[in-house]
Amino acid sequence: MPLNQNYFEIFGLTPEFDIDRAALAERYRELQREFHPDKYAAKSEREQRLAMQYAAKINEAHTTLRDPVARAAYLLRLSGVEVSPEQTSSDAEFLMQQMVLRERLEEVRDAAEPERALDHLGDEVRGLFVAEQKHFAGYLTAGDLEAAKNSLFKLQFLAKLQRQVEDLEEDLLD
């Protein structure tokens, strides 16, 4: 396995946003078995080092490809678009939507039925996240890298908001 392969090549996948997650998982298990460092314990120091490097790259590639936000950012990098973590969307409508969603999250604890309010918010955020993934895939396929980059910013926000909803859910259940 050449170390210069991109993550999609490692798993034999087409470099596109929509991937076969079952094929990714199956190929990951195969590669883990093939390049597990323990299999190389009796080999030369060079072979052991290469096995460790392969295993690390396989793990990194798997982590990136199974996460939709990381996969989107990686696809943009492959297309020559670098995205800084500090950058955000300049879409005014989306910025307003962000503010409303954040306010709703902050108000959950004070709601008459906090669990129900949180469920509704969580469902809405999940729906927005799924829809934005479709937008990203469409922009990328069409070669509209600027729109795909802006879509990535939205995905990053929505993923973070999903985690905050989950954290608040845990707090409410305790």
Side-chain angles (χ1 to χ4, degrees):
M1 178 180 95
L3 282 171
N4 64 347
Q5 285 184 313
N6 74 44
Y7 295 168
F8 291 94
E9 291 169 339
I10 290 170
F11 289 100
L13 299 170
T14 305
E16 55 193 18
F17 184 74
D18 295 321
I19 60 171
D20 182 343
R21 290 180 56 96
L24 174 66
E26 182 179 331
R27 183 68 179 135
Y28 176 64
R29 286 189 297 276
E30 290 171 4
L31 289 170
Q32 274 190 317
R33 283 191 298 273
E34 185 177 343
F35 292 105
H36 194 281
D38 290 347
K39 278 184 76 171
Y40 292 82
K43 304 282 184 176
S44 71
E45 192 173 310
R46 180 183 181 279
E47 288 173 304
Q48 289 176 19
R49 188 178 65 255
L50 280 173
M52 289 286 283
Q53 289 173 332
Y54 292 154
K57 182 138 184 184
I58 290 163
N59 288 332
E60 180 181 314
H62 181 255
T63 298
T64 300
L65 295 182
R66 72 180 175 158
D67 177 339
V69 176
R71 184 170 62 247
Y74 184 70
L75 281 162
L76 284 174
R77 272 197 315 277
L78 287 178
S79 298
V81 177
E82 287 298 323
V83 179
S84 167
E86 296 84 40
Q87 286 181 289
T88 59
S89 176
S90 59
D91 180 336
E93 184 179 327
F94 183 71
L95 293 173
M96 285 301 297
Q97 183 184 39
Q98 277 185 6
M99 288 174 46
V100 169
L101 290 169
R102 287 202 184 281
E103 285 174 12
R104 286 181 51 204
L105 182 64
E106 290 173 15
E107 295 168 354
V108 164
R109 288 184 190 277
D110 298 328
E113 296 181 54
E115 290 88 3
R116 176 180 267 185
L118 190 59
D119 284 345
H120 288 296
L121 180 60
D123 289 345
E124 183 178 345
V125 172
R126 276 187 292 283
L128 290 168
F129 188 70
V130 168
E132 197 57 48
Q133 288 180 69
K134 290 177 183 169
H135 293 305
F136 178 87
Y139 296 139
L140 191 68
T141 300
D144 189 345
L145 298 179
E146 192 58 38
K149 182 178 176 180
N150 197 43
S151 183
L152 172 61
F153 298 145
K154 294 174 183 179
L155 286 170
Q156 289 170 331
F157 167 77
L158 292 166
K160 182 178 179 182
L161 188 59
Q162 277 185 311
R163 286 189 300 275
Q164 291 170 331
V165 166
E166 291 165 4
D167 292 345
L168 182 54
E169 185 175 41
E170 285 180 24
D171 285 351
L172 290 175
L173 293 175
D174 286 344

